[in-house]
Amino acid sequence: MYVEHLLLNIDESWTTLLAQEFKQSYFQKLNTFISDEKKNYSIFPPEHKIFEAFKRLPFHQVKVVILGQDPYHGEGQAHGLSFSVPLETKIPPSLKNIYKELSSDVNTPIPTHGNLEKWADQGVFLLNATLTVRANEAGTHQKKGWENFTDSIIQNLSEKRANLVFILWGNYAHKKETLINASKHCILKSAHPSPLSAYNGFWQSKPFSKANTYLTQHNIAPIDWKL
């Protein structure tokens, strides 16, 4: 399988957990779809970065989940972590707003780059609901099976872990709340940081300090959000 061979590089804690997903009919169809897309179009992120979030962070080390929707669809932007871009890439508008809220919330300088790998390496699982996209065409890989896969990820984290923080920005992410057991996890919801919606409740929502307060209360080391 095309997609499954990419999973050979992710942490074993994930492959063991998701072995049954790979056998599902939806995953077989997803695999065929991605294989066909790759023959005819450029796909982002690059093949070796599709499962970057899983490579960087073992299942048992996740502390915070920040859920995005689609990978960036511009050249050189997507690298497998939600909202993040490589060091040399221009910071996208939503991430600029995330940084403004970060600076206001935890009193850190606004970062000069868009790379969130430091967060991932500390336990922040930067998961997009859809893990691939056709170049320059937003949303082209939605409803092809990725959402089934990432919903399963969220459910597994909810069921098999405790005291995680789920940060859900925007209406799309809010719908994932039904997958999370609120009695054993912290769910932080607000508007999406996009310039089109940040005014509607993203500003002053303080997700970063609230996440750290919750982690500390449960004897879990907080995240150093400074980049």
Side-chain angles (χ1 to χ4, degrees):
M1 288 179 65
Y2 169 69
V3 173
E4 192 168 359
H5 94 268
L6 301 179
L7 295 167
L8 296 175
N9 295 320
I10 71 174
D11 188 84
E12 187 178 349
S13 62
W14 292 110
T15 52
T16 302
L17 191 71
L18 294 169
Q20 293 304 312
E21 289 299 306
F22 308 149
K23 299 174 184 176
Q24 301 295 322
S25 60
Y26 86 82
F27 201 91
Q28 310 286 333
K29 292 175 183 176
L30 171 64
N31 178 77
T32 300
F33 170 76
I34 298 295
S35 298
D36 291 344
E37 283 283 287
K38 189 173 182 293
K39 293 172 186 174
N40 299 300
Y41 304 98
S42 293
I43 303 300
F44 295 143
E47 182 176 287
H48 68 286
K49 290 288 186 180
I50 292 174
F51 292 98
E52 183 69 11
F54 300 82
K55 293 178 188 175
R56 284 193 166 270
L57 188 57
F59 178 80
H60 56 279
Q61 292 181 14
V62 174
K63 298 179 182 180
V64 178
V65 180
I66 298 181
L67 186 68
Q69 187 168 356
D70 258 12
Y72 297 118
H73 55 83
E75 182 72 38
Q77 291 183 303
H79 68 149
L81 305 175
S82 62
F83 295 100
S84 181
V85 292
L87 281 171
E88 66 278 6
T89 302
K90 182 180 178 182
I91 302 173
S94 291
L95 186 54
K96 284 184 178 180
N97 283 345
I98 290 170
Y99 283 173
K100 290 177 185 176
E101 178 62 20
L102 173 69
S103 179
S104 169
D105 184 10
V106 296
N107 194 30
T108 64
I110 292 179
T112 57
H113 63 82
N115 190 304
L116 305 181
E117 289 175 352
K118 182 185 174 187
W119 290 1
D121 292 342
Q122 292 182 78
V124 182
F125 191 47
L126 297 163
L127 178 68
N128 279 318
T130 302
L131 297 189
T132 57
V133 68
R134 190 185 298 173
N136 305 313
E137 295 187 51
T140 39
H141 290 186
Q142 291 178 6
K143 299 180 180 177
K144 303 296 184 182
W146 279 129
E147 294 90 344
N148 302 67
F149 180 77
T150 52
D151 281 359
S152 175
I153 299 287
I154 295 168
Q155 287 177 308
N156 271 291
L157 285 165
S158 176
E159 292 169 8
K160 296 180 170 67
R161 296 290 311 281
N163 304 134
L164 300 181
V165 179
F166 289 85
I167 297 177
L168 308 179
W169 287 327
N171 292 333
Y172 181 86
H174 294 176
K175 293 175 183 177
K176 304 298 182 179
E177 185 177 9
T178 59
L179 305 172
I180 304 163
N181 184 342
S183 68
K184 59 188 249 188
H185 300 288
C186 174
I187 301 173
L188 301 176
K189 296 195 300 179
S190 76
H192 195 278
S194 163
L196 299 175
S197 57
Y199 67 90
N200 202 27
F202 178 72
W203 302 125
Q204 299 301 311
S205 59
K206 301 185 181 300
F208 308 102
S209 60
K210 287 178 180 177
N212 275 352
T213 295
Y214 180 85
L215 293 173
T216 302
Q217 287 172 344
H218 292 87
N219 299 312
I220 301 168
I223 306 297
D224 177 7
W225 296 106
K226 185 177 179 180
L227 293 167

PDB file of all heavy atoms in Angstrom, residues 65-71 81-83 125-130 150 154 167-169 172-173 176 192:
ATOM      1  N   VAL A  65      -3.038  18.636  22.285  1.00  0.00           N
ATOM      2  CA  VAL A  65      -3.405  18.418  20.879  1.00  0.00           C
ATOM      3  C   VAL A  65      -3.926  19.734  20.312  1.00  0.00           C
ATOM      4  O   VAL A  65      -4.861  20.325  20.865  1.00  0.00           O
ATOM      5  CB  VAL A  65      -4.485  17.326  20.740  1.00  0.00           C
ATOM      6  CG1 VAL A  65      -4.846  17.124  19.270  1.00  0.00           C
ATOM      7  CG2 VAL A  65      -4.027  16.015  21.377  1.00  0.00           C
ATOM      8  N   ILE A  66      -3.309  20.214  19.232  1.00  0.00           N
ATOM      9  CA  ILE A  66      -3.819  21.383  18.515  1.00  0.00           C
ATOM     10  C   ILE A  66      -4.288  20.909  17.144  1.00  0.00           C
ATOM     11  O   ILE A  66      -3.483  20.462  16.324  1.00  0.00           O
ATOM     12  CB  ILE A  66      -2.755  22.492  18.376  1.00  0.00           C
ATOM     13  CG1 ILE A  66      -2.328  23.001  19.761  1.00  0.00           C
ATOM     14  CG2 ILE A  66      -3.309  23.649  17.538  1.00  0.00           C
ATOM     15  CD1 ILE A  66      -1.298  24.119  19.726  1.00  0.00           C
ATOM     16  N   LEU A  67      -5.575  20.990  16.925  1.00  0.00           N
ATOM     17  CA  LEU A  67      -6.166  20.409  15.722  1.00  0.00           C
ATOM     18  C   LEU A  67      -6.342  21.456  14.625  1.00  0.00           C
ATOM     19  O   LEU A  67      -6.981  22.492  14.832  1.00  0.00           O
ATOM     20  CB  LEU A  67      -7.527  19.796  16.065  1.00  0.00           C
ATOM     21  CG  LEU A  67      -8.201  19.021  14.942  1.00  0.00           C
ATOM     22  CD1 LEU A  67      -7.426  17.744  14.636  1.00  0.00           C
ATOM     23  CD2 LEU A  67      -9.639  18.672  15.306  1.00  0.00           C
ATOM     24  N   GLY A  68      -5.767  21.154  13.459  1.00  0.00           N
ATOM     25  CA  GLY A  68      -5.991  21.955  12.269  1.00  0.00           C
ATOM     26  C   GLY A  68      -6.910  21.211  11.318  1.00  0.00           C
ATOM     27  O   GLY A  68      -7.356  20.097  11.595  1.00  0.00           O
ATOM     28  N   GLN A  69      -7.178  21.808  10.166  1.00  0.00           N
ATOM     29  CA  GLN A  69      -8.081  21.179   9.204  1.00  0.00           C
ATOM     30  C   GLN A  69      -7.326  20.594   8.016  1.00  0.00           C
ATOM     31  O   GLN A  69      -7.260  19.390   7.851  1.00  0.00           O
ATOM     32  CB  GLN A  69      -9.129  22.186   8.723  1.00  0.00           C
ATOM     33  CG  GLN A  69     -10.209  21.567   7.845  1.00  0.00           C
ATOM     34  CD  GLN A  69     -11.384  22.507   7.617  1.00  0.00           C
ATOM     35  OE1 GLN A  69     -11.448  23.606   8.159  1.00  0.00           O
ATOM     36  NE2 GLN A  69     -12.337  22.068   6.815  1.00  0.00           N
ATOM     37  N   ASP A  70      -6.741  21.444   7.190  1.00  0.00           N
ATOM     38  CA  ASP A  70      -6.007  21.028   5.987  1.00  0.00           C
ATOM     39  C   ASP A  70      -4.548  21.435   6.097  1.00  0.00           C
ATOM     40  O   ASP A  70      -4.233  22.442   6.732  1.00  0.00           O
ATOM     41  CB  ASP A  70      -6.568  21.760   4.764  1.00  0.00           C
ATOM     42  CG  ASP A  70      -7.487  20.899   3.939  1.00  0.00           C
ATOM     43  OD1 ASP A  70      -7.871  19.822   4.413  1.00  0.00           O
ATOM     44  OD2 ASP A  70      -7.831  21.315   2.822  1.00  0.00           O
ATOM     45  N   PRO A  71      -3.654  20.721   5.435  1.00  0.00           N
ATOM     46  CA  PRO A  71      -2.292  21.242   5.281  1.00  0.00           C
ATOM     47  C   PRO A  71      -2.314  22.511   4.416  1.00  0.00           C
ATOM     48  O   PRO A  71      -3.227  22.715   3.618  1.00  0.00           O
ATOM     49  CB  PRO A  71      -1.548  20.119   4.550  1.00  0.00           C
ATOM     50  CG  PRO A  71      -2.407  18.907   4.680  1.00  0.00           C
ATOM     51  CD  PRO A  71      -3.807  19.406   4.782  1.00  0.00           C
ATOM     52  N   LEU A  81       2.944  19.342  10.196  1.00  0.00           N
ATOM     53  CA  LEU A  81       2.522  19.790  11.525  1.00  0.00           C
ATOM     54  C   LEU A  81       1.482  20.893  11.345  1.00  0.00           C
ATOM     55  O   LEU A  81       1.719  21.858  10.614  1.00  0.00           O
ATOM     56  CB  LEU A  81       3.714  20.342  12.327  1.00  0.00           C
ATOM     57  CG  LEU A  81       4.917  19.411  12.497  1.00  0.00           C
ATOM     58  CD1 LEU A  81       6.053  20.156  13.201  1.00  0.00           C
ATOM     59  CD2 LEU A  81       4.539  18.167  13.283  1.00  0.00           C
ATOM     60  N   SER A  82       0.341  20.773  12.005  1.00  0.00           N
ATOM     61  CA  SER A  82      -0.717  21.763  11.823  1.00  0.00           C
ATOM     62  C   SER A  82      -0.234  23.162  12.206  1.00  0.00           C
ATOM     63  O   SER A  82       0.463  23.341  13.202  1.00  0.00           O
ATOM     64  CB  SER A  82      -1.957  21.391  12.648  1.00  0.00           C
ATOM     65  OG  SER A  82      -1.671  21.380  14.035  1.00  0.00           O
ATOM     66  N   PHE A  83      -0.587  24.120  11.377  1.00  0.00           N
ATOM     67  CA  PHE A  83      -0.289  25.548  11.535  1.00  0.00           C
ATOM     68  C   PHE A  83       1.185  25.905  11.331  1.00  0.00           C
ATOM     69  O   PHE A  83       1.529  27.074  11.196  1.00  0.00           O
ATOM     70  CB  PHE A  83      -0.770  26.085  12.896  1.00  0.00           C
ATOM     71  CG  PHE A  83      -2.262  26.047  13.074  1.00  0.00           C
ATOM     72  CD1 PHE A  83      -2.878  25.034  13.798  1.00  0.00           C
ATOM     73  CD2 PHE A  83      -3.064  27.012  12.483  1.00  0.00           C
ATOM     74  CE1 PHE A  83      -4.260  24.992  13.947  1.00  0.00           C
ATOM     75  CE2 PHE A  83      -4.445  26.979  12.629  1.00  0.00           C
ATOM     76  CZ  PHE A  83      -5.048  25.962  13.361  1.00  0.00           C
ATOM     77  N   PHE A 125       0.907  17.831  20.037  1.00  0.00           N
ATOM     78  CA  PHE A 125       0.570  17.037  18.855  1.00  0.00           C
ATOM     79  C   PHE A 125      -0.158  17.931  17.873  1.00  0.00           C
ATOM     80  O   PHE A 125      -1.317  18.294  18.086  1.00  0.00           O
ATOM     81  CB  PHE A 125      -0.278  15.841  19.273  1.00  0.00           C
ATOM     82  CG  PHE A 125      -0.482  14.810  18.207  1.00  0.00           C
ATOM     83  CD1 PHE A 125       0.570  14.345  17.443  1.00  0.00           C
ATOM     84  CD2 PHE A 125      -1.746  14.271  17.987  1.00  0.00           C
ATOM     85  CE1 PHE A 125       0.378  13.377  16.464  1.00  0.00           C
ATOM     86  CE2 PHE A 125      -1.943  13.303  17.017  1.00  0.00           C
ATOM     87  CZ  PHE A 125      -0.886  12.851  16.254  1.00  0.00           C
ATOM     88  N   LEU A 126       0.529  18.315  16.808  1.00  0.00           N
ATOM     89  CA  LEU A 126       0.014  19.267  15.829  1.00  0.00           C
ATOM     90  C   LEU A 126      -0.621  18.494  14.681  1.00  0.00           C
ATOM     91  O   LEU A 126       0.000  18.208  13.660  1.00  0.00           O
ATOM     92  CB  LEU A 126       1.152  20.167  15.346  1.00  0.00           C
ATOM     93  CG  LEU A 126       1.767  21.043  16.456  1.00  0.00           C
ATOM     94  CD1 LEU A 126       3.132  21.579  16.036  1.00  0.00           C
ATOM     95  CD2 LEU A 126       0.826  22.178  16.846  1.00  0.00           C
ATOM     96  N   LEU A 127      -1.892  18.173  14.847  1.00  0.00           N
ATOM     97  CA  LEU A 127      -2.597  17.246  13.958  1.00  0.00           C
ATOM     98  C   LEU A 127      -3.575  17.965  13.049  1.00  0.00           C
ATOM     99  O   LEU A 127      -4.457  18.682  13.512  1.00  0.00           O
ATOM    100  CB  LEU A 127      -3.362  16.221  14.806  1.00  0.00           C
ATOM    101  CG  LEU A 127      -4.196  15.183  14.047  1.00  0.00           C
ATOM    102  CD1 LEU A 127      -3.291  14.215  13.274  1.00  0.00           C
ATOM    103  CD2 LEU A 127      -5.106  14.415  15.007  1.00  0.00           C
ATOM    104  N   ASN A 128      -3.429  17.762  11.748  1.00  0.00           N
ATOM    105  CA  ASN A 128      -4.456  18.186  10.802  1.00  0.00           C
ATOM    106  C   ASN A 128      -5.464  17.069  10.609  1.00  0.00           C
ATOM    107  O   ASN A 128      -5.106  15.886  10.590  1.00  0.00           O
ATOM    108  CB  ASN A 128      -3.837  18.541   9.448  1.00  0.00           C
ATOM    109  CG  ASN A 128      -3.246  19.930   9.412  1.00  0.00           C
ATOM    110  OD1 ASN A 128      -3.842  20.881   9.925  1.00  0.00           O
ATOM    111  ND2 ASN A 128      -2.074  20.065   8.811  1.00  0.00           N
ATOM    112  N   ALA A 129      -6.742  17.439  10.442  1.00  0.00           N
ATOM    113  CA  ALA A 129      -7.784  16.433  10.214  1.00  0.00           C
ATOM    114  C   ALA A 129      -7.575  15.734   8.873  1.00  0.00           C
ATOM    115  O   ALA A 129      -7.861  14.544   8.725  1.00  0.00           O
ATOM    116  CB  ALA A 129      -9.160  17.078  10.266  1.00  0.00           C
ATOM    117  N   THR A 130      -7.075  16.459   7.889  1.00  0.00           N
ATOM    118  CA  THR A 130      -6.731  15.913   6.584  1.00  0.00           C
ATOM    119  C   THR A 130      -5.226  16.046   6.418  1.00  0.00           C
ATOM    120  O   THR A 130      -4.690  17.127   6.635  1.00  0.00           O
ATOM    121  CB  THR A 130      -7.450  16.683   5.460  1.00  0.00           C
ATOM    122  OG1 THR A 130      -8.860  16.624   5.685  1.00  0.00           O
ATOM    123  CG2 THR A 130      -7.139  16.106   4.100  1.00  0.00           C
ATOM    124  N   THR A 150      -7.964  10.323  11.269  1.00  0.00           N
ATOM    125  CA  THR A 150      -7.590  11.241  12.341  1.00  0.00           C
ATOM    126  C   THR A 150      -8.636  11.265  13.459  1.00  0.00           C
ATOM    127  O   THR A 150      -8.284  11.494  14.621  1.00  0.00           O
ATOM    128  CB  THR A 150      -7.336  12.657  11.790  1.00  0.00           C
ATOM    129  OG1 THR A 150      -8.456  13.095  11.007  1.00  0.00           O
ATOM    130  CG2 THR A 150      -6.085  12.674  10.926  1.00  0.00           C
ATOM    131  N   ILE A 154      -7.846  10.761  17.485  1.00  0.00           N
ATOM    132  CA  ILE A 154      -8.384  11.558  18.592  1.00  0.00           C
ATOM    133  C   ILE A 154      -9.090  10.663  19.606  1.00  0.00           C
ATOM    134  O   ILE A 154      -8.913  10.808  20.823  1.00  0.00           O
ATOM    135  CB  ILE A 154      -9.342  12.644  18.046  1.00  0.00           C
ATOM    136  CG1 ILE A 154      -8.569  13.637  17.177  1.00  0.00           C
ATOM    137  CG2 ILE A 154     -10.033  13.381  19.192  1.00  0.00           C
ATOM    138  CD1 ILE A 154      -9.458  14.561  16.363  1.00  0.00           C
ATOM    139  N   ILE A 167      -6.914  21.624  22.157  1.00  0.00           N
ATOM    140  CA  ILE A 167      -7.173  23.004  21.750  1.00  0.00           C
ATOM    141  C   ILE A 167      -7.898  22.974  20.409  1.00  0.00           C
ATOM    142  O   ILE A 167      -7.341  22.525  19.404  1.00  0.00           O
ATOM    143  CB  ILE A 167      -5.861  23.803  21.666  1.00  0.00           C
ATOM    144  CG1 ILE A 167      -5.213  23.888  23.067  1.00  0.00           C
ATOM    145  CG2 ILE A 167      -6.119  25.203  21.118  1.00  0.00           C
ATOM    146  CD1 ILE A 167      -3.870  24.611  23.091  1.00  0.00           C
ATOM    147  N   LEU A 168      -9.137  23.428  20.418  1.00  0.00           N
ATOM    148  CA  LEU A 168     -10.011  23.364  19.240  1.00  0.00           C
ATOM    149  C   LEU A 168     -10.346  24.778  18.791  1.00  0.00           C
ATOM    150  O   LEU A 168     -11.117  25.481  19.440  1.00  0.00           O
ATOM    151  CB  LEU A 168     -11.290  22.589  19.574  1.00  0.00           C
ATOM    152  CG  LEU A 168     -11.118  21.204  20.217  1.00  0.00           C
ATOM    153  CD1 LEU A 168     -12.479  20.582  20.499  1.00  0.00           C
ATOM    154  CD2 LEU A 168     -10.271  20.282  19.338  1.00  0.00           C
ATOM    155  N   TRP A 169      -9.774  25.182  17.669  1.00  0.00           N
ATOM    156  CA  TRP A 169      -9.980  26.525  17.136  1.00  0.00           C
ATOM    157  C   TRP A 169     -10.915  26.472  15.936  1.00  0.00           C
ATOM    158  O   TRP A 169     -10.628  25.827  14.929  1.00  0.00           O
ATOM    159  CB  TRP A 169      -8.646  27.126  16.707  1.00  0.00           C
ATOM    160  CG  TRP A 169      -7.749  27.534  17.856  1.00  0.00           C
ATOM    161  CD1 TRP A 169      -8.130  28.020  19.070  1.00  0.00           C
ATOM    162  CD2 TRP A 169      -6.310  27.501  17.868  1.00  0.00           C
ATOM    163  NE1 TRP A 169      -7.023  28.297  19.838  1.00  0.00           N
ATOM    164  CE2 TRP A 169      -5.900  27.988  19.146  1.00  0.00           C
ATOM    165  CE3 TRP A 169      -5.340  27.116  16.943  1.00  0.00           C
ATOM    166  CZ2 TRP A 169      -4.555  28.093  19.498  1.00  0.00           C
ATOM    167  CZ3 TRP A 169      -4.014  27.220  17.294  1.00  0.00           C
ATOM    168  CH2 TRP A 169      -3.618  27.709  18.548  1.00  0.00           C
ATOM    169  N   TYR A 172     -15.000  23.965  12.702  1.00  0.00           N
ATOM    170  CA  TYR A 172     -14.641  22.631  12.226  1.00  0.00           C
ATOM    171  C   TYR A 172     -14.029  21.819  13.374  1.00  0.00           C
ATOM    172  O   TYR A 172     -14.413  20.667  13.608  1.00  0.00           O
ATOM    173  CB  TYR A 172     -13.664  22.712  11.057  1.00  0.00           C
ATOM    174  CG  TYR A 172     -13.281  21.358  10.517  1.00  0.00           C
ATOM    175  CD1 TYR A 172     -14.059  20.726   9.548  1.00  0.00           C
ATOM    176  CD2 TYR A 172     -12.147  20.687  10.989  1.00  0.00           C
ATOM    177  CE1 TYR A 172     -13.733  19.475   9.059  1.00  0.00           C
ATOM    178  CE2 TYR A 172     -11.800  19.432  10.507  1.00  0.00           C
ATOM    179  CZ  TYR A 172     -12.595  18.833   9.550  1.00  0.00           C
ATOM    180  OH  TYR A 172     -12.265  17.590   9.083  1.00  0.00           O
ATOM    181  N   ALA A 173     -13.084  22.413  14.072  1.00  0.00           N
ATOM    182  CA  ALA A 173     -12.434  21.712  15.184  1.00  0.00           C
ATOM    183  C   ALA A 173     -13.415  21.460  16.326  1.00  0.00           C
ATOM    184  O   ALA A 173     -13.341  20.425  17.004  1.00  0.00           O
ATOM    185  CB  ALA A 173     -11.236  22.511  15.678  1.00  0.00           C
ATOM    186  N   LYS A 176     -15.147  18.149  16.669  1.00  0.00           N
ATOM    187  CA  LYS A 176     -14.383  16.994  17.153  1.00  0.00           C
ATOM    188  C   LYS A 176     -14.537  16.799  18.659  1.00  0.00           C
ATOM    189  O   LYS A 176     -14.077  15.789  19.210  1.00  0.00           O
ATOM    190  CB  LYS A 176     -12.903  17.156  16.803  1.00  0.00           C
ATOM    191  CG  LYS A 176     -12.626  17.370  15.322  1.00  0.00           C
ATOM    192  CD  LYS A 176     -13.071  16.198  14.465  1.00  0.00           C
ATOM    193  CE  LYS A 176     -12.741  16.423  12.994  1.00  0.00           C
ATOM    194  NZ  LYS A 176     -13.134  15.288  12.138  1.00  0.00           N
ATOM    195  N   HIS A 192     -11.490  30.519  15.397  1.00  0.00           N
ATOM    196  CA  HIS A 192     -10.276  30.203  14.645  1.00  0.00           C
ATOM    197  C   HIS A 192      -9.381  31.447  14.569  1.00  0.00           C
ATOM    198  O   HIS A 192      -9.882  32.576  14.507  1.00  0.00           O
ATOM    199  CB  HIS A 192     -10.655  29.744  13.231  1.00  0.00           C
ATOM    200  CG  HIS A 192      -9.552  29.071  12.494  1.00  0.00           C
ATOM    201  ND1 HIS A 192      -8.569  29.775  11.828  1.00  0.00           N
ATOM    202  CD2 HIS A 192      -9.259  27.760  12.329  1.00  0.00           C
ATOM    203  CE1 HIS A 192      -7.721  28.922  11.275  1.00  0.00           C
ATOM    204  NE2 HIS A 192      -8.119  27.695  11.556  1.00  0.00           N
TER     205      HIS A 192
END
